[in-house]
Amino acid sequence: MTVFAPLAARLRPKNLDEFIGQHHLLAPGKPLRVAIETGELHSMILWGPPGTGKTTLARLLAKNAKAQFIQLSAVLSGVKDIRAAQAKAEKARDVFNQKTILFIDEVHRFNKAQQDAFLPYVEDGTFTLIGATTENPSFELNSALLSRARVYVLKRLEEASLLQIIDRAIYIANQEDGLLDFPNQHRTRLAQAADGDARRCLNYLEVIVQLVQVNDLDQVTDEIIEEALVGTARRFDKHGEDFYNQISALHKSVRGSSPDGALYWFARMIDGGCDPRYIIRRVVRMATEDIGIADPRGLELALNAWQTYERLGSPEGELAIAQAIVYLAVCAKSNAVYSAYNEIMSDVKKYGSLEVPMHIRNAPTKLMKDLDYGKDYRYAHNEEHAFAAGETYLPEGLPKKEYYQPTDRGLEKKIKEKLEFLKSLDKSKQ
């Protein structure tokens, strides 16, 4: 058996019938499929995870449109390369009456000035731009470019699609290199390890075939699979949209009282290489924003988990973080303090520097006493129930409202009862 050539290139689909996945874009009648089948060109941004077919779709569009295909990588290219592409496109148009597709891989890597450099050529039709990106275009691309291109969102490949790709690759390999016994359970394991990325899947498959050859085997074994997939990491970009999507999912799972969901997203982020310190900082935020006084133990447990992690490190300290996450997910929830704080901060900015009422000012000097600082102040501990009924503590000029409104959950239920009692005392003094 010989080692077959790079599969990602050899198995690149030559037409839409060979393309696997992205049914939401390529089903009959869908705009992108119609564009490819008819060769009708329009500028576009293909946004999706690695190994989902962005380059392949661009090449299929160029092939069907009989267009010149120029490929640049934003990592390695600059304005000079864009100018060179412009010159090639103009020559193809003026000499051969041929259209040009300029495909820019990782287009989000271009800065704003570089993106502006090819806008005139997109505008006048010198070339049709197809940009591929793994990052959210609304964050990474300027509005002028986005207004001239249609965004298509590609999805990670499902396991069934990856199994189709694996089966096709093995079929071709068996035809050319002899039979390879690749049990179904190992194909499934390979598809799962690829994590939605066809290119990664085929790269792993090449390694597996090489290991089979080196070990003079005719069957893929458990040992071969584990050796080929050792150190496999799930898709996770520590600075990209996936990062923020996953921390958002963790936070919302806690808020939604789903311990399983919260643990899952925590595990996904840890598995992807996220710094646990970042996660525990967010967990402390959850304890204050979404749990609050409904269960003050939540904040205490989150801070304890942070300290435990700092002392133990990974992986032992991660269990303490997991424990805090589960507790926050299942305990009583309240954002009453969070809401009250935001509302009162808004009023502080709105109403300006209102004066502190005279009766609650401190009076450490004779002059201040003579100016009535602290006059008629009522010491709450000397009052019945340790409460100065009818007293006011907010400045004049602030609208009369109750900022903090406790819920009926957890400790706040008791707090609410207490505040209702104190309100009744206030009313008795009116």
Side-chain angles (χ1 to χ4, degrees):
M1 181 188 299
T2 59
V3 179
F4 40 92
L7 283 173
R10 287 188 58 201
L11 294 180
R12 190 182 298 280
K14 299 178 180 61
N15 53 60
L16 282 178
D17 291 335
E18 295 181 359
F19 194 94
I20 297 173
Q22 312 306 331
H23 301 294
H24 64 293
L25 296 178
L26 299 175
K30 293 292 185 178
L32 184 55
R33 185 182 185 97
V34 171
I36 294 173
E37 288 179 332
T38 61
E40 292 295 326
L41 301 182
H42 62 270
S43 291
M44 65 184 72
I45 302 297
L46 302 177
W47 171 30
T52 51
K54 297 185 288 295
T55 303
T56 296
L57 290 175
R59 288 185 175 277
L60 287 177
L61 186 55
K63 178 182 177 182
N64 286 14
K66 296 180 173 57
Q68 175 182 218
F69 187 80
I70 301 175
Q71 181 171 351
L72 299 178
S73 170
V75 176
L76 304 173
S77 305
V79 173
K80 179 180 178 181
D81 300 287
I82 297 173
R83 304 281 190 230
Q86 169 223 343
K88 289 182 181 178
E90 289 177 343
K91 180 179 180 180
R93 180 192 60 194
D94 299 338
V95 178
F96 303 106
N97 194 30
Q98 184 184 28
K99 297 177 181 179
T100 296
I101 285 179
L102 175 61
F103 177 72
I104 300 181
D105 196 18
E106 299 189 85
V107 66
H108 61 276
R109 303 277 188 180
F110 273 150
N111 60 37
K112 301 301 182 184
Q114 290 170 317
Q115 291 178 32
D116 289 339
F118 49 71
L119 282 177
Y121 312 118
V122 173
E123 188 72 30
D124 67 12
T126 300
F127 51 67
T128 299
L129 173 71
I130 300 182
T133 178
T134 57
E135 300 297 330
N136 191 324
S138 59
F139 297 147
E140 304 295 338
L141 303 182
N142 64 37
S143 57
L145 177 58
L146 284 177
S147 70
R148 292 165 173 79
R150 180 163 183 171
V151 176
Y152 294 100
V153 181
L154 282 71
K155 300 178 181 179
R156 67 187 297 275
L157 296 181
E158 297 178 352
E159 184 177 310
S161 296
L162 290 170
L163 286 171
Q164 283 184 264
I165 293 172
I166 293 169
D167 291 345
R168 181 167 170 243
I170 294 173
Y171 172 77
I172 292 175
N174 285 344
Q175 280 190 320
E176 298 180 359
D177 301 320
L179 293 178
L180 171 65
D181 187 0
F182 204 129
N184 287 335
Q185 69 269 22
H186 295 329
R187 299 187 189 203
T188 300
R189 175 78 175 88
L190 172 58
Q192 292 170 343
D195 197 30
D197 185 332
R199 187 184 302 108
R200 177 190 285 189
C201 182
L202 294 174
N203 289 342
Y204 284 149
L205 184 54
E206 282 188 304
V207 173
I208 290 169
V209 172
Q210 289 171 355
L211 289 173
V212 168
Q213 181 188 40
V214 168
N215 289 279
D216 196 25
L217 301 173
D218 58 6
Q219 181 183 53
V220 177
T221 64
D222 292 338
E223 292 75 18
I224 292 292
I225 285 289
E226 293 308 315
E227 186 174 351
L229 304 182
V230 63
T232 299
R234 261 54 61 194
R235 179 168 53 88
F236 185 83
D237 183 349
K238 298 178 185 178
H239 303 288
E241 191 192 14
D242 271 343
F243 175 86
Y244 297 105
N245 284 342
Q246 291 183 27
I247 194 62
S248 174
L250 171 57
H251 195 151
K252 289 178 172 64
S253 297
V254 169
R255 181 182 295 152
S257 299
S258 172
D260 290 340
L263 268 183
Y264 173 81
W265 293 114
F266 171 62
R268 277 285 301 276
M269 296 187 79
I270 291 297
D271 179 67
C274 180
D275 185 352
R277 293 178 181 84
Y278 173 82
I279 297 176
I280 191 58
R281 284 198 298 270
R282 290 297 298 258
V283 171
V284 170
R285 166 69 185 263
M286 297 170 203
T288 55
E289 178 181 340
D290 294 289
I291 313 303
I293 302 177
D295 192 340
R297 293 170 298 184
L299 178 57
E300 180 182 356
L301 194 59
L303 291 172
N304 287 343
W306 194 340
Q307 186 178 54
T308 300
Y309 179 80
E310 292 296 347
R311 291 184 175 182
L312 296 182
S314 295
E316 293 86 351
E318 292 160 11
L319 184 58
I321 301 176
Q323 180 176 311
I325 287 172
V326 169
Y327 185 86
L328 296 184
V330 300
C331 71
K333 307 292 190 300
S334 172
N335 70 340
V337 173
Y338 177 70
S339 299
Y341 177 76
N342 288 337
E343 185 176 2
I344 210 159
M345 281 297 293
S346 175
D347 280 356
V348 165
K349 293 177 175 62
K350 181 177 180 181
Y351 293 101
S353 302
L354 301 177
E355 297 288 339
V356 177
M358 296 296 289
H359 69 284
I360 56 174
R361 295 187 186 189
N362 196 27
T365 70
K366 183 177 183 301
L367 174 61
M368 297 168 82
K369 289 178 182 178
D370 291 342
L371 293 174
D372 291 338
Y373 279 45
K375 184 180 179 182
D376 298 326
Y377 171 65
R378 295 163 60 190
Y379 188 60
H381 292 288
N382 292 338
E383 305 270 346
E384 187 178 8
H385 304 295
F387 178 68
E391 190 61 279
T392 59
Y393 298 92
L394 291 173
E396 292 184 10
L398 197 67
K400 292 184 178 180
K401 63 170 76 171
E402 295 177 5
Y403 292 98
Y404 174 55
Q405 300 188 33
T407 67
D408 292 319
R409 298 181 291 276
L411 178 62
E412 278 196 329
K413 183 176 182 180
K414 294 292 185 182
I415 294 173
K416 186 174 184 178
E417 293 172 358
K418 171 70 179 294
L419 289 179
E420 292 294 338
F421 172 68
L422 297 180
K423 286 179 199 174
S424 69
L425 295 179
D426 278 334
K427 288 180 181 179
S428 69
K429 294 293 183 180
Q430 292 178 354

